[in-house]
Amino acid sequence: MCSSDLLNYAAGALDPVGYHAVNIALHMLTAVLLLVIARRATRSLPLAMAIAAAWAVHPLTTDAVNYVSQRTELLMAACALGTLWAAIRAHDAARPGPRVALAWTLCALGMGCKESMVVVPVLVVAFDYALLHTDWRAQWAQRRVLYGGLAATWLILAGVARGARSLSAGFAAHDADALTYLR
């Protein structure tokens, strides 16, 4: 059980209203983060709004709001988009250190939520290369501390995957090791 579930339980026991309210808040947070990221990527507010709105109402993402068991999806999505947002803000900042630390923290928290967070460090590098830099060497020289910290969060994911083998529906239900599950 994650800490948000414990807080929900403390506030309202098993009343589903509180759980759904938190899920809706997390979903709205991710939609806003996507809006901000899409605005930076496209430099068009109307296009960014359309992207965020389409994502916010798409059935694949709204299912997570309806089911309390999907809280990990919402938390992972918020951490993934928060990591990308912090990395973008670090690029734009005169003093990037606090934003780099925020990106590391959000990435680490996301790795503890869901295995699909594994793509986020690569996503940050790809976003940087596609939209912020034109020269890979200059990009690496400027952002290697950020990239190294994000890559280090894979160790958290490896530890979670190893320790949660008997608890995770993904690993336990299929009686598969991590490599088989990844495939």
Side-chain angles (χ1 to χ4, degrees):
M1 182 175 276
C2 72
S3 59
S4 64
D5 292 338
L6 293 174
L7 292 173
N8 266 147
Y9 186 79
L14 295 176
D15 182 11
V17 173
Y19 292 90
H20 288 295
V22 170
N23 284 3
I24 289 168
L26 285 168
H27 188 67
M28 289 172 37
L29 171 65
T30 57
V32 169
L33 286 167
L34 182 59
L35 171 69
V36 173
I37 292 166
R39 171 70 175 96
R40 177 68 166 84
T42 65
R43 304 201 188 285
S44 166
L45 183 59
L47 181 56
M49 290 175 70
I51 291 168
W55 182 86
V57 300
H58 196 281
L60 288 176
T61 60
T62 57
D63 269 356
V65 172
N66 295 328
Y67 302 104
V68 175
S69 63
Q70 294 294 312
R71 174 83 49 99
T72 57
E73 291 287 344
L74 292 165
L75 289 168
M76 186 278 306
C79 289
L81 291 173
T83 300
L84 183 56
W85 172 80
I88 293 166
R89 298 291 296 153
H91 177 270
D92 297 337
R95 292 182 49 234
R99 289 170 181 92
V100 167
L102 178 60
W104 292 341
T105 302
L106 290 170
C107 196
L109 291 171
M111 293 293 179
C113 291
K114 191 113 176 106
E115 295 91 349
S116 51
M117 188 75 180
V118 71
V119 302
V120 172
V122 176
L123 177 67
V124 170
V125 173
F127 186 94
D128 279 4
Y129 185 74
L131 297 168
L132 301 179
H133 293 276
T134 56
D135 178 22
W136 172 251
R137 289 184 184 174
Q139 175 182 339
W140 177 255
Q142 182 183 357
R143 307 270 278 178
R144 69 177 172 258
V145 172
L146 170 67
Y147 299 156
L150 293 177
T153 64
W154 283 327
L155 297 172
I156 295 168
L157 183 59
V160 167
R162 175 175 286 240
R165 179 168 159 59
S166 63
L167 303 174
S168 170
F171 290 112
H174 296 48
D175 194 31
D177 61 21
L179 184 59
T180 303
Y181 182 71
L182 179 63
R183 279 186 292 202

